[in-house]
Amino acid sequence: MSTFTVLTKNYTLPQIDKGEVLRFMGCKSENSEINSLFSRVEKELPDKSFGKVCYSIFPIKKYDDYLDLGFAKPNSQDLARNLDGCDSIILFAATVGIEYDKLILKLGKSSPAEALCIDAIGNERIEALCDIFCNDIEGELLKSSHALRPRFSAGYGDLPIELQKDIFNTLSPHTKIGLTLNDSLLMSPTKSVSAIVGIKKQQV
Amino acid sequence: MNILDYIKNNILILDGGTGTLLQEQGLSVGELPEEWNISHPEIIQKIHQSYFDAGSNVVATNTFGANLLKFSEDKLDKIIGAAVENAKIALASSKGNQEKFIALDIGPSGKLLKPYGDFDFEDAVSLFSKTIMLGVKHGVDLIYIETMSDSYETKAALLAAKEASSLPVFVSNAYGSDCRLLTGATPAAMATMLEAMGADAIGANCSQGPAQLAPVIEELARYTSLPIILKPNAGLPEIRDGKTVYNVLPEEFSSEVVSLIDKGACILGGCCGTTPEYISKLSEKCKCLFPAKRNPKKITAISSYTHTVEFGEKPILIGERINPTGKKRVKEALHSNNFDYILKEALMQEECGVQVLDVNAGLPEIDERETLNNIIAEIQAVCNLPLQIDTSNTNAMELALRRYNGKALINSVNGKEESLRKVFPLMKKYGGVAVALTLDENGIPETAEGRVEIAKRILSVASEYGIDKKDIIFDPLTLTVSADKSSARITLDALSLIHNELGAYTILGVSNISFGLPNRDILNSIFFASALENHLSAAIMNPYSREMMSAYYSYCALNSLDESFENYIGFAANLDTGASNLPTLNQTSTSSDIATLEDAIVKGLKDKARELCLALLGEKQPLYIVNEQIIPALDRVGKGFENHSVYLPNLLMSAEAARSAFEPIHDALFSSAKSSQSKKQIIVLATVKGDIHDIGKNIVALLLENYGFSVIDLGKDVTPQKILEATLKYDARLVGLSALMTTTVPAMEETIKLLKEKAPLCKVVVGGAVLTKSYADKIGADFYAADAMETVRFAEKIFK
């Protein structure tokens, strides 16, 4: 029987992309009030560059009515399309930590505007972490001329959100990166992502 | 031999990792390792035995995730029974002649506790209790709580262990690369809380290699007298040639672990990636080694879920504002169960520089036990200062101490027999530092010496309960000086005597001195300065008073307690000519060109809006200001948002500015006449059960309040029943429900169904990321609001 290992990586994230943050706040352009809101809130965050990922690699097989992902066997046409031509996947869970939740809770009542901005920064940060992780892994894989497919999470398309339970049973992210799942299948800390990424051999 | 006797003079060797070994034996993906106690007992026994053979004194049962979240009660009993049996067989078969023990292994639940997650503290206690009771039933020697990354969950597990067994309890946490737990606790904070609650050994395991955990061990050793556990990973895993390898090998691992014996580590083992080979090397190196000699720590410290506050030469400020005595707004908040005002006071006092917050909910008409407990939970969700639990009701005190995340300051116990016998057992069980008032059945002694005598008696009773002097600070009581001219002098003398004769710390509620006199801050601050000169260690005081803060910063600066005068300068250089120390709100931008209140609100300038409103109140009636300035501003911004020329953050900033302008108006109305409660249009808001997102709901609440509605905000993760209760209680005609996830929409549907059945007159508006108009119709909502302004418009229609 094959063994699998869950690996952990810590990352230092790049500067915050303010344009992305504004987009998450629903702003189509800047104005001075929003700019000063952003710089005020940015100062409140103790560590904006922290990110942790745990992951594992599984060989996969496709069958007519289901996918064998190595850790679960979901029936999902959308994921099957996404993984077309892949022979293995990376299963990962990533988080930028609890500070965003703490601040959102703290500011929620006193300043919903600041809470909204923290929330948007958290969204930008977790996306940045996923990108940096995938680029990192792709860099390693490219040596063996493999590339990554776009990330696919439980709840996307017809991939049931219930797959989260299998993902959490497999990676045990609560002991590795402090990420937990509640009964409604929501992750805490909330600024977190779990996803499947297909590994595809590049045509030379 | 009892394990606690053994560790007095010997290094105790724990076992190593089991996860990797189980996988090598064929544990497949997603399979629960605990199942193997029953399905593959021989493999589990072999792994345990290999650790005993390698020299382990303690083997932990294969029960890391054995709890009722994963198994039925019946199955759990069987699994734990088998797990203990496997360890016993291994122990009996091992050739090693060392002392051997079996620990019941308890790992984290995998759920995050409230307020950041949705798992209730008492549910966590019950969960751990069940596993522990089964472990005790099947016969283990100790409980080992490990890999905990949240201080609150650690407290729940330790409390469960203490309540469900009388066995020794070892506790170790998983510290990150920043040497903190996931939810922010430092090793000092963990040491302070766990030692106070009666853990028998504490330490660090998992997450990192031994070298990275060195600073954690050093910090723990500074704060605790307890034996220290070190059970690190073999570094980090890497994949080399398709195989998993850990980057710290047995030789290096054991040397690094052994090097930390000097620092205080004496219960040693390995976590992820370590194997019997690692433990064998480690136990060999420890053969002729003994625990380092450590002096008992005499630190008086309290903690929150992030940090400790230590008593010492530098005086500690305890904010007195969260107390209904003489404070109308606090009373109002306690009566209405609306804690926004109290949370604001908590954060404002923190900003003024206090290190601890006093929390008092003592009003005769309310359920103090419930209210105090709720306030503490709400404050701990937003503010990380340690709290002083201020109550004379021991039932309220017990619940508060039980749920408090950290080691609290307890206000108070006194020399009366009844008080001592009630408070000390609570303190022993839950931990805490007690404020001990020097009064007894005969009242307050009229001499300093008399008060010291009571202090001595309190200490002697404390020692009967095993409570150390370091966990008691004395309050020799501030009496009103205008009633008795000599009273100030007696109190000051008592401070000195307690310091000199008993070597104990002291505390005073300073403000009482000036009762009945004008301009009380003047007298208070001079008395405070005198008390500091007489070794006062902590003061319960008003941090908004400029005089009090001046006395504090000056005293510190004059007594070498303010490195390079940084704090004094920070305080004094920014003092304006006003008499208050209140912090100013964040100013959004240069606002000199803003002339009208309406413009200030449109631009979202909180301070400016408040300032202009205060100025206007000198000339105009409150209602005129609302109708001519605030409402037009809100309309401008609201319409702009609706036609997409104003963005959501701008809308919110304006709403916040409007709210800050409403405050002085509220005060003016409040002081002139009782606000017209009967006319209030009440709306109940909640994020539904299972959903922990509340930004959207808070946004709606803010805007509704701006438009004059009275909002009862029930928070997030609220059960249908609770929403119904509030709807009926307040006779609300509108309920707003929010849900962000598809998985929580069923809870919304359930809530609507209940409301329609039991409160049919009430309308329900819903919103949230996953909802649509058609979905809202399907689950029976009366209205779907795409954004906060739509909710406002719907509410206006309903209440027309």
Side-chain angles (χ1 to χ4, degrees), chain B residues 121-136:
Chain B
F121 178 78
E122 292 296 349
D123 291 341
V125 175
S126 317
L127 185 81
F128 292 122
S129 280
K130 192 72 212 176
T131 302
I132 290 164
M133 279 191 272
L134 292 171
V136 172

Side-chain angles (χ1 to χ4, degrees), chain A residues 4-5 102 110-111 113 184 186, chain B residues 23 183 244 656 659 741 743:
Chain A
F4 79 105
T5 307
K102 281 187 172 178
S110 64
S111 175
S184 315
L186 304 185
Chain B
Q23 278 177 25
T183 42
T244 308
E656 288 168 23
R659 185 168 63 182
M741 297 281 293
T743 48

Side-chain angles (χ1 to χ4, degrees), chain A residues 1-10 22 25-37 40 44 47 50 52 55-58 70-72 95 97-99 101-120 155 161-162 164 166 168-172 174-191, chain B residues 23-24 26-32 64 69-70 108-112 115-118 147 149 174 176-178 182-185 206-207 236-239 243-244 246 305-306 340 343-344 347 350 378 381-384 586-589 602-606 644 647-650 652-653 656 659 689-695 697-699 702 713 715-716 741-744:
Chain A
M1 202 175 271
S2 69
T3 69
F4 79 105
T5 307
V6 181
L7 301 173
T8 307
K9 285 196 179 216
N10 293 335
L22 293 191
M25 283 198 289
C27 306
K28 295 200 178 68
S29 62
E30 298 182 18
N31 56 46
S32 63
E33 290 82 29
I34 288 175
N35 283 337
S36 73
L37 172 72
R40 202 163 70 221
E44 293 251 4
D47 185 1
F50 166 88
K52 266 185 170 182
Y55 67 101
S56 196
I57 297 176
F58 294 99
F71 70 93
T95 184
I98 196 99
E99 287 306 321
D101 295 310
K102 281 187 172 178
L103 278 169
I104 288 167
L105 211 51
K106 177 172 173 174
L107 297 169
K109 292 284 174 66
S110 64
S111 175
E114 289 180 15
L116 180 77
C117 190
I118 297 273
D119 187 57
I161 183 98
E162 284 69 27
Q164 283 282 57
D166 299 307
F168 272 69
N169 277 339
T170 305
L171 296 176
S172 291
H174 69 287
T175 62
K176 301 191 174 65
I177 59 171
L179 179 59
T180 63
L181 189 68
N182 79 7
D183 291 339
S184 315
L185 307 177
L186 304 185
M187 292 183 281
S188 293
T190 57
K191 298 305 164 200
Chain B
Q23 278 177 25
E24 278 169 16
L27 180 77
S28 61
V29 181
E31 197 178 355
L32 297 172
F64 185 83
L69 292 173
K70 296 210 178 104
S109 66
K111 289 190 171 289
L112 191 58
Y116 308 121
D118 70 341
T147 325
S149 59
S177 49
D178 56 354
L182 165 80
T183 42
C206 204
S207 59
L236 281 174
E238 297 165 5
I239 294 187
K243 271 192 153 177
T244 308
Y246 280 79
Y305 54 95
T306 56
D340 290 358
L343 296 182
K344 206 175 98 189
L347 294 173
E350 179 182 23
E378 296 245 1
V382 302
C383 171
N384 66 10
N586 292 317
Q587 200 58 61
T588 315
S589 64
V602 169
K603 282 278 171 196
L605 303 173
K606 279 190 208 176
H644 308 294
Y647 300 130
L648 181 59
N650 294 101
L652 295 177
M653 283 188 277
E656 288 168 23
R659 185 168 63 182
K689 173 85 192 126
D691 206 319
I692 49 173
H693 299 83
D694 64 353
I695 295 184
K697 185 259 306 158
N698 287 339
I699 289 171
L702 172 68
D713 183 351
K716 56 191 166 67
M741 297 281 293
T742 46
T743 48
T744 55

